[in-house]
Amino acid sequence: MIGARSKWVMVLLALVACAVVYGLVNRMFIQADELGRTRYSDQKFIDTMESLIREKVFDVHERDIVINEDVFRQKGFSKELEQRIRAHVRHLYVKNGEIRFENKAASIANQVRHRDNLIWRGKFLDRNGVILAESSIDKNRWRTDRTYSFGPEFFPVIGHASVTYGKRYLEKDLDDYLEGRNHEPVLNTDIDPFKKVLMGDHVTLTVDSAIQRYAFQVMKDFKGAVVVVDVKSFEVLAAVSTPSFDPNEKNGEAWVSAFAGKEDRVYENRALSVAYPPGSTFKTVVATALLETGRATANERKKVICTGLKNPYGISDIHPHGAMNLDRALVESCNAYFSSKGVLLGEDLLRFAERYGFNQVVDLAPQLNQNKCFAGRSMAFAWLDRSNQLHQYMAVDFRRNPKIVAQASIGQNIVMATPLQMCLVAAAIANGGMMKNPSIIKEIKSADGKELIRAAQGGQSRKVMSFRVATQIRELMADVMKKGTGKNVKKIYREGSAYTTNPATENLNVVNIAGKTGTAEVDNKDVDNPRKPHSWFIGFAPSENPRVAIAVIAENQGFGSLTAAPIAMDVLATVLNSLR
């Protein structure tokens, strides 16, 4: 009896031993690669970083995020945790005025089993069906690789989806669609009959890859942005930001260096999210307010005398313009005129700036119910505090601070605009005073071809100004290019059925362009090495029957007529060729 019982015990122990050995072998060899690739987020560290953000331990100093040492020392962290927090400051970023932490930067290798189901992330395509980003499956490693067809040219729009560095821009905003989570699963069993592949949705953008790529090449030697918008649909045709980053990069050090760099700031979307002083391009907004309120007419009697010297508000011009009415002032970009008239307008300036979309959040995918794709907010006579609360000038503030109002009336001080916002200003004028919400998503389809989201088409139009006023400003912007600050800018010619800025023959038809140049002063804290102003241009083409609007900014490149405007002409010629 004892012998039989011993046999059963031995058999049982043998079975247990076999199970243990199989588990170890399976874990060490069969699943080793799979386990090694799996990562999880260190939620405790993420919570610590987000708590420090809420407690104002991090400050934004100019464009850098720094640690408030006085507050940080009071936390009493261990030396190891303190070092880790300092090392992760480079993974903080600012969005919509708030400091945020890139959570995926806190991912850690672990022993969690890799999921059996694989997600085949959906594609990004341009408006013509050109593939911008797609995933492929490595059957040997049972994982997907993400590739970006045009690398840095589209990074500021699409962003990246990385296991190590997380997701950014549209890859993050549209993650639920790209992973197919917004509907019943679409499965693919052709790849491996024993495993399920969940198919993500395909996203078609409004962007034209030919325009985007050309504009990027024109801008690659500058820091700045180009935005092109269709004036009828308000679809974004191009949103270029330079310098940029190639999300196909495999070198981890290159990623860390790029996203920690404060000088080039390749991680920023200058086109859609970075606000700059708009300089003289903002005079189009002031002109709208003057004409709509009747404070300026075609035959203005009470003219402003420009001597070139500082006026009572401390504003000067490069040279004297003499007696100025609105027509001459906009064409010749007279600071004395617009600063004086801006003070008289007072809070009407705020009212009309907000008609154009200043001080409001811009959603570039208004047709989506849950997922939002927010652009940066442009500010006029307003600012955000540290808790992201909006504060605006009141009527009394306009009366108490005439010098600040005068500066803002020429696009300085408490007026800041994204290139997208200034492109929308031009588009609204080109569209007869009517404005729509801009959109960047044309459609989203599931992997089995079912249409989920259609183009927004800008939604409902809203009136910014009367058709009469829009027509008057449009004609003045055409005069800017014919006889004003833009008269010496290169022209666009019609050569046969094509458009060019470098004609092979003379005496070709010139395409009339409406535009406004801008030169925006920047903060010059380094007196010994002052920075040049930003170069701006906004406009639309053709001026008689506008089809597209454009905004260009080249950081620290001086006069708008010398850098931004010529870039705009080259890009507009390419756009007109694409729209033939």
Side-chain angles (χ1 to χ4, degrees):
M1 191 72 178
I2 296 176
R5 184 176 298 175
S6 298
K7 288 181 181 180
W8 281 111
V9 171
M10 293 176 64
V11 169
L12 181 60
L13 289 174
L15 291 174
V16 171
C18 289
V20 170
V21 170
Y22 173 79
L24 290 173
V25 171
N26 183 58
R27 193 175 190 83
M28 294 174 63
F29 299 102
I30 299 175
Q31 298 187 57
D33 180 58
E34 184 178 31
L35 291 170
R37 291 195 313 270
T38 307
R39 304 180 70 85
Y40 76 97
S41 294
D42 186 350
Q43 190 59 48
K44 185 176 181 180
F45 182 71
I46 292 172
D47 292 342
T48 298
M49 292 296 287
E50 292 181 345
S51 175
L52 293 177
I53 291 172
R54 290 192 299 271
E55 295 172 18
K56 311 299 183 185
V57 172
F58 304 111
D59 293 327
V60 179
H61 180 66
E62 294 183 348
R63 293 188 179 276
D64 296 339
I65 297 177
V66 298
I67 294 177
N68 185 326
E69 296 292 346
D70 292 335
V71 180
F72 189 51
R73 280 194 293 268
Q74 297 175 9
K75 298 297 178 182
F77 291 128
S78 66
K79 185 177 180 180
E80 292 77 11
L81 181 55
E82 180 180 318
Q83 290 176 345
R84 188 180 181 191
I85 291 170
R86 291 184 184 279
H88 280 74
V89 170
R90 64 175 179 265
H91 296 295
L92 297 170
Y93 63 98
V94 178
K95 184 174 183 180
N96 297 328
E98 294 181 338
I99 296 176
R100 300 185 183 183
F101 178 58
E102 189 67 76
N103 291 355
K104 292 299 178 67
S107 62
I108 295 177
N110 76 104
Q111 298 298 311
V112 177
R113 179 181 175 84
H114 195 283
R115 63 189 171 205
D116 290 330
N117 294 339
L118 184 69
I119 294 178
W120 196 343
R121 197 170 181 81
K123 300 176 183 177
F124 275 106
L125 305 100
D126 86 336
R127 66 187 298 113
N128 300 311
V130 177
I131 296 175
L132 307 177
E134 62 181 334
S135 294
S136 58
I137 290 184
D138 184 334
K139 296 182 181 179
N140 294 324
R141 295 182 296 168
W142 195 243
R143 58 167 288 179
T144 61
D145 291 318
R146 192 75 164 163
T147 56
Y148 299 87
S149 305
F150 305 114
E153 295 169 355
F154 271 89
F155 166 72
V157 177
I158 295 175
H160 59 74
S162 166
V163 172
T164 304
Y165 301 101
K167 300 180 179 73
R168 191 179 297 265
Y169 299 138
L170 291 182
E171 286 274 28
K172 181 177 181 180
D173 296 335
L174 301 177
D175 193 44
D176 288 344
Y177 286 101
L178 293 165
E179 296 203 348
R181 292 195 294 263
N182 282 343
H183 50 74
E184 290 296 317
V186 177
L187 303 177
N188 184 323
T189 57
D190 295 336
I191 298 173
D192 189 328
F194 298 103
K195 294 184 178 180
K196 296 178 181 178
V197 177
L198 305 178
M199 304 295 292
D201 304 330
H202 302 314
V203 179
T204 299
L205 304 180
T206 61
V207 177
D208 186 315
S209 60
I211 299 172
Q212 179 84 4
R213 298 188 69 197
Y214 179 80
F216 184 89
Q217 292 305 311
V218 174
M219 281 293 297
K220 66 180 181 180
D221 294 329
F222 303 99
K223 293 180 182 178
V226 176
V227 178
V228 181
V229 169
D230 184 296
V231 301
K232 299 301 180 184
S233 66
F234 278 68
E235 291 180 343
V236 177
L237 301 179
V240 167
S241 176
T242 54
S244 187
F245 178 72
D246 188 350
N248 295 309
E249 177 64 59
K250 301 301 183 183
N251 187 332
E253 292 183 3
W255 281 80
V256 173
S257 175
F259 290 91
K262 305 300 182 183
E263 182 63 27
D264 290 339
R265 308 189 316 279
V266 299
Y267 47 80
E268 288 187 321
N269 187 328
R270 287 168 162 88
L272 305 179
S273 299
V274 176
Y276 300 87
S280 293
T281 61
F282 189 73
K283 291 172 183 175
T284 53
V285 178
V286 182
T288 302
L290 287 170
L291 291 169
E292 282 287 301
T293 59
R295 289 185 174 88
T297 62
N299 299 310
E300 220 171 330
R301 292 184 179 180
K302 190 174 181 180
K303 297 183 178 181
V304 173
I305 306 301
C306 173
T307 65
L309 303 176
K310 288 185 178 180
N311 64 9
Y313 309 110
I315 306 297
S316 61
D317 282 89
I318 295 177
H319 57 80
H321 293 112
M324 286 276 106
N325 60 11
L326 174 62
D327 291 13
R328 283 193 59 206
L330 190 65
V331 171
E332 298 184 33
S333 201
C334 178
N335 290 337
Y337 178 90
F338 280 98
S339 59
S340 299
K341 290 291 186 177
V343 173
L344 294 176
L345 279 167
E347 58 188 314
D348 281 333
L349 274 177
L350 173 60
R351 181 161 62 93
F352 279 93
E354 290 188 334
R355 283 193 185 185
Y356 274 111
F358 282 83
N359 303 335
Q360 299 164 35
V361 175
V362 180
D363 184 4
L364 292 170
Q367 69 270 53
L368 304 184
N369 294 324
Q370 296 178 342
N371 300 71
K372 299 298 179 182
C373 305
F374 291 123
R377 183 161 20 191
S378 299
M379 311 294 287
F381 304 97
W383 62 94
L384 294 172
D385 62 20
R386 287 191 173 186
S387 60
N388 206 35
Q389 294 297 310
L390 181 70
H391 299 270
Q392 293 182 326
Y393 257 33
M394 308 290 286
V396 65
D397 297 312
F398 283 94
R399 294 192 296 269
R400 288 176 176 174
N401 304 290
K403 288 187 175 182
I404 293 178
V405 175
Q407 292 169 11
S409 299
I410 59 172
Q412 301 286 164
N413 205 305
I414 55 173
V415 173
M416 299 288 284
T418 64
L420 171 65
Q421 175 61 64
M422 294 315 299
C423 190
L424 297 178
V425 168
I429 296 169
N431 196 35
M434 302 302 291
M435 193 177 211
K436 297 179 181 179
N437 191 98
S439 60
I440 203 167
I441 307 298
K442 198 163 186 66
E443 69 176 14
I444 299 177
K445 286 186 176 181
S446 60
D448 56 4
K450 294 180 181 178
E451 187 178 69
L452 305 174
I453 299 293
R454 293 184 179 182
Q457 294 297 323
Q460 295 295 319
S461 297
R462 68 177 187 274
K463 185 176 180 180
V464 177
M465 74 203 89
S466 67
F467 181 81
R468 175 187 60 82
V469 167
T471 301
Q472 187 171 347
I473 298 177
R474 184 178 70 184
E475 292 172 350
L476 290 176
M477 290 175 70
D479 285 342
V480 168
M481 304 305 293
K482 292 177 182 177
K483 57 186 180 182
T485 57
K487 64 183 178 182
N488 295 322
V489 175
K490 66 170 70 176
K491 311 300 180 187
I492 298 178
Y493 301 89
R494 183 73 180 265
E495 192 173 43
S497 61
Y499 298 88
T500 180
T501 56
N502 297 297
T505 59
E506 298 180 355
N507 301 320
L508 294 174
N509 293 326
V510 175
V511 179
N512 292 325
I513 307 297
K516 182 70 189 80
T517 60
T519 308
E521 299 293 332
V522 296
D523 292 332
N524 278 310
K525 296 182 178 180
D526 188 347
V527 179
D528 296 327
N529 187 28
R531 295 182 297 165
K532 292 172 65 176
H534 296 327
S535 178
W536 270 98
F537 179 84
I538 64 171
F540 45 87
S543 62
E544 305 89 351
N545 182 27
R547 302 182 67 186
V548 291
I550 191 170
V552 177
I553 182 171
E555 294 181 16
N556 309 120
Q557 294 299 314
F559 293 111
S561 59
L562 297 182
T563 306
I567 290 172
M569 296 306 107
D570 286 333
V571 175
L572 282 174
T574 298
V575 175
L576 293 174
N577 284 326
S578 295
L579 298 179
R580 282 183 296 168

